[in-house]
Amino acid sequence: MDKERFIKKALKPVGHTMYVLGGGWNEEDTGAGETALSCGEGKLWRGFFEKAGRDYDYKKEKAPRECGLDCTGFVGWAIYNSIAGEKRREGYVFKSDVFGQEMERLGLGEWSEDGSDAKRGDIMCKKGHVWICLGVMGDGSRLILHSSPPGVCVCGAPEGSMAHRKADEYMRQYPEWYGKFPVTHRGEDYLTGYGRVRIGVEFGV
């Protein structure tokens, strides 16, 4: 799986796809659902975003899974859409705490429990969240691509950092989204405690 192709595909839902709990999963919560096993964007994603208000709360909304993506559903969808040739019939959606190990088992990258050396294209994993590293800035801050409430967006961690400023600049390209959801930063916890999967040609995939 080519790193830059993966990033390009993963950026497609940015700015018009809401966070939906279970989005991308099947009804049994055992793996990829229909939306994470389809090429291209989900048919309901944009429409659901357009209807969402500034006060969108995924816990209260309880939208159908087909209306958006959660963190693992999003990364699994991006993997499915970036793989050239034969795709795994079961898809690539896994629980966050085993996501990295499953990726390595499938030969899609190298897993390390130490994510302190994060690089562009790495999938960062820990129990509770999975995200894609778009880069590490000169001040050590990280540019993040993820599905995190309210939805699929680019953020910077921590607040006030170079990555935060870069993320804010990027998300302003989506004025309808930015007008509703202008927060483009996350906390310092995104800098530590994550393992990583390193994908790309350097690992023969």
Side-chain angles (χ1 to χ4, degrees), residues 47-198:
F48 186 66
F49 157 67
E50 289 169 359
K51 293 178 182 177
R54 291 181 173 87
D55 59 347
Y56 174 76
D57 183 341
Y58 77 93
K59 294 179 182 178
K60 295 179 181 178
E61 195 79 24
K62 295 184 179 179
R65 296 171 185 234
E66 297 78 17
C67 290
L69 295 166
D70 68 11
C71 65
T72 48
F74 163 61
V75 177
W77 173 88
I79 294 167
Y80 187 89
N81 276 266
S82 63
I83 290 178
E86 188 174 349
K87 303 179 191 297
R88 184 171 180 266
R89 181 168 55 87
E90 298 87 353
Y92 306 93
V93 178
F94 310 104
K95 296 292 185 182
S96 58
D97 56 343
V98 297
F99 204 105
Q101 296 93 320
E102 290 294 327
M103 288 286 288
E104 184 171 74
R105 182 180 65 82
L106 293 171
L108 295 174
E110 179 196 63
W111 164 246
S112 172
E113 292 186 6
D114 181 6
S116 61
D117 66 339
K119 294 182 179 179
R120 177 176 170 83
D122 286 354
I123 300 171
M124 310 299 294
C125 314
K126 74 174 181 181
K127 187 174 182 179
H129 198 35
V130 174
W131 51 276
I132 301 165
C133 180
L134 292 180
V136 179
M137 311 299 283
D139 60 354
S141 58
R142 294 182 181 180
L143 198 60
I144 297 160
L145 170 58
H146 60 168
S147 184
S148 176
V152 181
C153 58
V154 175
C155 294
E159 184 177 3
S161 64
M162 292 173 66
H164 178 198
R165 293 194 293 273
K166 186 72 173 178
D168 194 76
E169 178 184 343
Y170 184 85
M171 290 308 299
R172 286 177 185 272
Q173 298 178 75
Y174 302 90
E176 190 176 356
W177 176 277
Y178 194 86
K180 293 180 181 180
F181 313 116
V183 176
T184 54
H185 63 82
R186 292 294 187 269
E188 290 195 8
D189 57 310
Y190 278 75
L191 306 183
T192 59
Y194 283 89
R196 58 99 175 126
V197 180
R198 184 151 296 156

